[in-house]
């Protein structure tokens, strides 16, 4: 794990890449859509993040990509909307419909990712429809971003709503510099894997050069997930993941606040006059959210008053509750619960002239909030889980006299840095009540010692240092990624070597077209490269290696194309097998000859220009590669119909439609047949089975071997979530290099 560098703004200005254009991408643009009599207007919103990013955008020149905050329908009803702009920053709106907002934002982002990442597993909704909406909207964000990604620009994507955007963006702009920051926790791998889409989400994030989190623990969770769920190679000490032949840096960059702003606003407010005061002030301020522990906090205040009656009439707890996600039913329910608890506590303890809880259930302008921070003797910040929590840092900086006390949940990322606070477990109501007592009774010397240490740290790591540190980290990550020479083959080799070495024999299954041989427009032109032929010849001589070529081609054709003796050949998608000590022909292989011929006749009669019919005896292929692209869908449908009418099974490959006997037999079953007949039913005790293929029909083999073997899909781009293979190699060249290593028998397992 590399620690973030907290350089100041001057150092940042001189840092490499400081003049690089910046593209910021976030769910929301920094506006609030306000509706009034004149229609819809967009107001610039403020806040620490905006205050930190806008100067960086202004300095470098750049674009902010995001949703403006009003749905497409609302904007249309209002006759359009006009985005504010400054001379150096442009805003690129990503329009979202009301349905998008409901499904992508209210659904997958806030009813699936938000609860799960905050460890509320039982609140997590698993719904394929919202996932698809999330994927769709993330694609749109990637398209909008790609349109802005000028040469050399740095793209900085924010937060959990956009975890898949880097993946789509990498596909559209492969050479771009992409960095990501997650503002919420990244959960432990065992929690994260609850999501059926955990793997594509990880792949999404791993398309970046830098993935940033608030604290090292979140980064570690991410590394563990990448290792366990995707089989990535991980270097924890360096904070690096190797994936798809790329190196991704994973770092902790704890966000800071706008220190100067908070101190200015605090300075404009009256000082607290603590000694003269009869009623001690306690403050809490949160967005309405179940993660913030507001209800539990109220119970702790109640417990204090119950157990220590001396505090009655002598303390007042102010809770500021900013409305949030009101359209989500659970939030409305939570609001009712909090309202009721406040009412109950006040009903129970209030006396003439004093109520224990002051409750402000609305947003306050920062100018009004900071004076409340300054006045408060104690801040009670007890989220059940929080990425960072900025209120804790803001309270600290508003304590200009350095004599307030911070009571802080150990479940907030901020607790990592703010160790001098009274750190509590927010679930333990008694412990929070005790900490509150300790805070209220704390001697001034201790208060000043703690608060001044906190103030120094928060000041040193303000939001400008955070931006500079993160952008510097992104720059380094990209450089590092450029130097990293690990090819996909090397990565696969390193991952496979220890596993292969655990058994004396390796059974190696290789598809032909697109795996060993580059694809060619006509099947007869797909020649085996010389290097691959030599490697196969060597493989045939290596006693610890059992090499099997698997193809959809007819067996004779396949043997002719490869032409290496001593290997096993599986033809016609597994319907015919031949090799040392093995001869197999599926019992149904010859019963469908008439149907196949009838279908072939019908396809010939169609006379689609460029289409080719390949009669393979047991199966039939209809090749569309040389058919005009806009003719292909129609020709494909016609072929499907012709084959189905003869009750044949239809499969769709890469520009090919195939018909085969309608039985449950495929490459995967054939692979298991070879393994069992050659090595015995308990072959996993003696043999490591590895399958390499590029086609959809190879997926059957990947699935059959899942858990008992390993598989590699040959594909130029990562097929997120769509392949059952364990690894990916980009092309037949990369397969050739892996094959050369395997053929030499260098994996050397224990002797039989
Ligand atoms: C996410 C993560 C992470 C509060 N009341 C008012 C008001 N606020 C401002 C505060 C503070 C911000 O809202 C709240 O920030 P938090 O960090 O506490 O929480 P989230 O909104 O959940 O933010 C969090 C953060 O992202 C940054 O990475 O720290 O863990 O969940 O700045 O001042 N602002 C105004 N009126 C209010 O009444 N204007």
């Amino acid at each position: 794990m590399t620690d973030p560098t907290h350089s100041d703004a001057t150092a940042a200005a001189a840092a490499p890449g400081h003049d690089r254009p910046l593209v910021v991408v976030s769910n929301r643009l920094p506006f609030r859509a306000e509706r009034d009599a004149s229609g819809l207007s967009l107001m610039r919103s403020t806040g620490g993040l905006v205050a930190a990013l806008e100067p960086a955008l202004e300095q470098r020149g750049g674009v902010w990509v995001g949703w403006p905050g009003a749905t497409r329908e609302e904007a249309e009803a209002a006759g359009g909307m006009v985005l504010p702009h400054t001379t150096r920053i442009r805003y690129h709106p990503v329009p979202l419909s009301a349905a998008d907002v409901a499904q992508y934002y209210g659904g997958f982002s806030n009813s699936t990712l938000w609860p799960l990442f905050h460890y509320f597993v039982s609140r997590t909704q698993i719904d394929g429809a919202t996932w698809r909406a999330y994927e769709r909207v993330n694609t749109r964000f990637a398209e909008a971003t790609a349109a802005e990604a000028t040469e050399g620009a740095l793209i900085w994507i924010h937060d959990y709503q956009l975890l898949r955007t880097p993946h789509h963006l990498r596909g559209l702009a492969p050479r771009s510099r992409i960095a990501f920051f997650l503002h919420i926790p990244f959960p432990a791998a065992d929690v994260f894997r609850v999501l059926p889409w955990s793997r594509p989400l990880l792949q999404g994030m791993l398309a970046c050069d830098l993935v940033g989190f608030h604290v090292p623990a979140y980064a570690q969770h991410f590394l563990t997930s990448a290792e366990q769920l995707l089989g990535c190679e991980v270097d924890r000490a360096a904070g690096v993941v190797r994936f798809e032949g790329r190196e991704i840096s994973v770092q902790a960059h704890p966000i800071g606040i706008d220190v100067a702003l908070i101190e200015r606003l605090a300075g404009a407010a009256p000082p607290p006059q603590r000694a003269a005061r009869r009623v001690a002030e306690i403050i809490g301020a949160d967005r309405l959210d179940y993660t913030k522990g507001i209800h539990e906090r109220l119970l702790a205040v109640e417990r204090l008053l119950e157990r220590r009656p001396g505090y009655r009439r002598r303390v007042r707890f102010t809770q500021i509750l900013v409305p949030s996600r009101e359209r989500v039913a659970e939030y409305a329910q939570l609001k009712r619960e909090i309202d009721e608890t406040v009412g109950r506590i006040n009903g129970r303890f209030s006396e003439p002239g004093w109520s224990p809880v002051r409750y402000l259930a609305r947003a306050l302008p920062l100018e009004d909030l900071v004076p409340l921070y300054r006045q408060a003797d104690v801040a009670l910040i007890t989220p059940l889980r929080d990425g960072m929590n900025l209120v804790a840092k803001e309270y600290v900086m508003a304590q200009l006299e350095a004599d307030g006390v911070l009571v802080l949940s150990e479940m907030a990322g901020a607790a990592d840095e703010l160790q001098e606070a009274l750190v509590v477990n927010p679930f333990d109501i008694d412990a929070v009540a005790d900490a509150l007592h300790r805070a209220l009774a704390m001697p001034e010397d201790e208060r000043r010692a703690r608060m001044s240490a906190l103030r120094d740290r928060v000041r040193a790591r303000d939001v400008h240092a955070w931006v500079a540190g993160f952008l510097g980290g992104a720059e380094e990550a990209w450089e590092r990624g450029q130097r990293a020479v690990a090819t996909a083959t090397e990565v696969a080799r390193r991952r496979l070597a220890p596993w292969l070495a655990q058994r004396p024999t390796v059974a190696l299954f290789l598809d032909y077209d697109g795996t060993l041989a580059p694809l060619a427009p006509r099947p007869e032109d797909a020649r085996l490269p010389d290097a691959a032929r030599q490697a196969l010849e060597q493989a045939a001589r290596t006693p610890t290696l059992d090499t099997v070529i698997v193809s959809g081609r007819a067996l004779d054709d396949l043997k002719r194309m490869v032409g290496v003796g001593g290997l096993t050949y599986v033809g016609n998608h597994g319907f015919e097998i031949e090799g040392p000590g093995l001869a197999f022909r599926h019992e149904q292989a010859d019963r469908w000859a008439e149907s196949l011929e009838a279908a072939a006749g019908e396809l010939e009669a169609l006379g689609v220009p460029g289409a080719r019919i390949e009669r393979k005896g047991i199966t039939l292929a209809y090749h569309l590669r040389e058919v005009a692209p806009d003719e292909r869908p129609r020709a494909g449908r016609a072929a499907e119909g012709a084959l189905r009418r003869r009750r044949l099974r239809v499969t769709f490959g890469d520009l090919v439609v195939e018909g085969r006997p309608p039985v449950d037999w495929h490459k995967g079953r054939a692979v298991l047949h070879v393994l069992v007949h050659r090595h015995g039913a308990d072959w996993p005790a003696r043999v490591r089975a590895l399958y390499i293929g590029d086609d959809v029909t190879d997926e059957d083999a990947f699935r059959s071997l899942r858990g008992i073997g390993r598989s590699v899909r040959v594909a130029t781009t990562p097929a997120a979530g769509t392949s059952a293979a364990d690894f990916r190699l980009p092309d037949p060249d990369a397969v050739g290099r892996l094959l050369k290593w395997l053929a030499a028998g260098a994996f050397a397992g224990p002797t039989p």
Side-chain angles (χ1 to χ4, degrees):
M1 185 70 36
T2 41
D3 247 14
T5 41
H6 295 287
S7 48
D8 61 24
T10 340
H18 72 278
D19 51 354
R20 203 178 284 302
L22 187 59
V23 181
V24 169
V25 189
S26 64
N27 171 54
R28 287 292 302 270
L29 285 172
F31 311 131
R32 281 173 291 124
E34 295 207 342
R35 290 151 202 90
D36 53 27
S38 63
L40 197 65
S41 48
L42 294 177
M43 320 286 289
R44 287 162 62 83
S45 57
T46 48
L49 189 59
V50 179
L53 290 174
E54 292 210 326
L57 279 164
E58 267 167 24
Q59 184 204 332
R60 293 157 169 254
V63 192
W64 195 319
V65 178
W67 176 47
T71 63
R72 199 185 299 225
E73 293 84 346
E74 287 167 332
E76 276 165 16
M81 57 187 162
V82 181
L83 300 181
H85 73 278
T86 63
T87 42
R88 294 276 289 168
I89 310 178
R90 278 188 307 112
Y91 299 102
H92 184 131
V94 180
L96 297 182
S97 68
D100 291 334
V101 175
Q103 297 228 294
Y104 139 83
Y105 180 73
F108 199 76
S109 297
N110 287 327
S111 304
T112 302
L113 294 174
W114 177 270
L116 190 74
F117 280 34
H118 288 88
Y119 292 80
F120 286 83
V121 181
S122 60
R123 283 184 186 248
T124 304
Q125 287 175 18
I126 303 294
D127 176 354
T130 64
W131 158 252
R132 287 188 291 278
Y134 184 83
E135 180 71 343
R136 206 165 53 235
V137 172
N138 270 245
T139 311
R140 292 225 298 274
F141 270 86
E143 286 161 359
T145 308
E148 298 292 353
T150 48
E151 180 74 25
L154 172 62
I155 299 158
W156 186 359
I157 302 173
H158 289 261
D159 228 1
Y160 64 102
Q161 301 92 349
L162 301 176
L163 298 176
R164 288 281 298 157
T165 298
H167 168 82
H168 297 298
L169 183 57
R170 183 66 73 196
L172 295 168
R175 298 267 310 138
S176 53
R177 299 160 189 257
I178 313 177
F180 182 89
F181 187 80
L182 186 69
H183 288 264
I184 67 173
F186 193 89
D190 275 347
V191 170
F192 180 60
R193 71 185 311 156
V194 165
L195 273 182
W197 308 282
S198 56
R199 288 177 183 82
L201 289 169
L202 281 176
Q203 285 171 319
M205 298 169 81
L206 287 168
C208 296
D209 304 300
L210 170 67
V211 182
F213 300 94
H214 284 305
V215 298
Y218 307 160
Q220 290 298 334
H221 293 157
F222 179 76
L223 292 173
T224 306
S225 296
E227 191 172 35
Q228 293 184 353
L229 300 178
L230 292 181
C232 294
E233 202 175 50
V234 160
D235 181 342
R236 287 175 187 280
V240 165
V241 186
R242 298 199 181 86
F243 177 62
E244 300 282 356
R246 295 174 44 254
E247 258 191 27
I248 299 97
S249 295
V250 177
Q251 298 173 356
H253 288 272
I255 196 170
I257 58 164
D258 189 341
V259 168
L261 173 67
I262 300 293
E263 286 199 323
R264 184 165 58 70
L265 294 176
Q273 313 277 5
R274 295 218 152 105
R277 214 193 258 151
R278 285 196 55 250
V279 177
E281 294 283 354
I282 306 167
I283 195 167
D286 312 79
R287 236 181 355 89
L288 172 67
D289 203 293
Y290 50 83
T291 60
K292 300 289 184 183
I294 300 156
H295 195 245
E296 291 77 0
R297 181 184 314 163
L298 286 164
L299 297 182
V301 170
E302 179 177 38
R303 185 119 346 143
L304 178 82
L305 297 171
E306 203 174 75
R307 298 270 168 88
R308 300 179 193 270
Y311 281 117
R312 297 181 194 171
R313 302 192 64 91
R314 292 199 30 237
V315 295
R316 178 169 68 165
F317 173 53
T318 299
Q319 174 67 51
I320 294 146
L321 191 64
V322 183
S324 175
R325 303 178 195 168
E326 286 155 294
R327 286 181 224 177
V328 182
E330 282 177 307
Y331 284 75
Q333 165 71 16
L334 176 70
K335 172 73 171 39
R336 279 195 295 278
E337 277 169 29
I338 294 171
D339 291 351
E340 277 170 27
T341 306
V342 169
R344 186 171 57 71
I345 297 172
N346 276 340
R348 184 172 169 198
F349 294 104
S350 289
E351 294 175 22
W354 173 78
S355 287
V357 183
R358 177 167 60 152
Y359 181 40
L360 309 179
R362 58 181 185 269
L364 299 181
L366 205 59
E367 292 74 12
D368 295 347
L369 180 61
V370 174
L372 294 174
Y373 287 152
R374 188 173 186 195
Q375 286 299 320
D377 302 286
V378 178
L380 187 56
I381 298 177
T382 53
L384 304 179
R385 193 65 64 171
D386 213 334
M388 172 57 77
N389 194 297
L390 296 177
V391 172
K393 294 187 172 184
E394 291 165 357
Y395 174 74
V396 164
M397 287 329 294
Q399 292 303 301
L400 299 182
E401 289 74 21
D403 61 353
V405 183
L406 174 63
V407 177
L408 178 61
S409 163
E410 61 182 292
M411 309 298 169
D416 239 51
E417 292 172 277
L418 306 184
Q419 284 295 319
E420 295 84 357
L422 296 186
V423 177
V424 293
N425 177 341
F427 293 92
D428 187 343
I429 307 293
D430 286 333
V432 177
D434 288 347
L436 207 42
H437 166 55
R438 202 180 144 201
L440 290 163
M442 189 179 282
E444 188 178 338
D445 289 349
E446 184 180 346
R447 281 188 273 141
R448 287 190 188 282
R450 289 179 184 279
M451 188 49 73
S452 51
L454 289 170
R455 288 177 58 78
D456 287 348
R457 186 138 345 91
V458 175
R459 185 193 307 283
R461 301 182 176 183
D462 77 350
V463 74
H464 300 291
W466 175 74
V467 170
F470 184 86
L471 294 177
E475 205 65 40
E476 280 168 25
W478 198 78
E479 295 296 331
R480 172 182 197 125
Q482 297 303 298
R483 284 197 306 273
V485 287
T487 63
T489 307
E490 274 167 18
V491 173
R493 202 168 67 195
R494 278 205 299 265
R495 301 285 310 171
L496 285 168
W499 177 77
L500 294 174
Q502 287 166 357
R503 298 290 183 278
T505 305
V506 170
L508 174 62
F509 298 87
L510 296 153
D511 170 60
Y512 182 77
D513 294 272
T515 300
L516 283 170
L519 292 172
R522 298 183 312 162
E524 58 270 35
D525 296 333
R527 304 239 165 268
L528 184 66
D530 288 343
R533 174 163 293 107
Q534 283 156 18
L536 287 175
E537 279 162 359
Q538 187 181 10
R541 293 191 299 271
T542 302
T544 51
L545 197 57
D546 177 9
T547 307
V548 184
I549 314 294
V550 185
S551 175
R553 286 175 185 259
L555 185 63
D556 287 341
D557 177 25
L558 179 66
K559 286 194 321 199
R560 196 171 52 247
M561 295 304 284
V562 179
V564 177
L567 306 180
T568 301
Y569 290 90
V570 176
N572 261 316
H573 296 289
F575 280 89
E576 36 181 3
I577 305 174
E578 191 182 297
L582 194 61
F584 166 86
R585 196 172 169 86
H586 193 280
E587 52 165 9
Q588 292 277 330
D590 304 310
R591 297 200 186 157
W592 295 85
E594 265 179 43
S595 308
L596 287 160
E597 194 42 50
E602 191 177 326
L603 291 174
E604 256 161 16
L606 282 176
V608 176
R612 289 164 53 93
I613 298 159
E614 188 186 358
R615 291 176 166 84
K616 302 188 286 184
I618 307 173
T619 68
L620 172 82
Y622 189 61
H623 296 276
L624 302 171
R625 199 166 289 275
E626 290 178 285
V627 172
D630 45 345
E631 280 299 308
R632 285 171 187 163
R634 210 173 52 83
R637 279 193 303 274
E640 183 185 359
L643 294 162
R644 283 207 203 287
R645 277 193 290 283
R646 269 71 191 191
R647 296 188 25 241
L648 293 160
R649 213 182 116 202
V650 184
T651 59
F652 303 89
D654 188 9
L655 296 181
V656 62
V657 182
E658 290 192 83
R660 53 167 104 175
V663 292
D664 180 25
W665 195 257
H666 47 66
K667 287 179 173 178
R669 302 243 2 220
V671 163
L672 291 173
H673 180 90
V674 170
L675 285 163
V676 168
H677 282 80
R678 181 148 306 135
H679 304 284
D682 60 344
W683 60 266
R686 289 176 298 282
V687 178
R688 285 307 198 200
L690 174 64
Y691 190 107
I692 310 180
D694 76 306
D695 194 62
V696 268
T697 60
D698 295 310
E699 290 289 340
D700 290 325
F702 302 158
R703 273 190 293 274
S704 293
L705 284 178
R706 188 127 197 121
I708 44 176
R710 292 279 191 278
S711 54
V712 180
R713 171 109 190 213
V714 183
T716 36
T717 51
T722 57
S723 176
D726 302 290
F727 303 100
R728 181 182 72 90
L729 287 175
D731 49 38
D733 274 352
V735 175
R737 286 190 291 273
L738 187 71
L739 177 60
K740 195 170 164 207
W741 171 73
L742 288 163
F747 44 84
T751 39

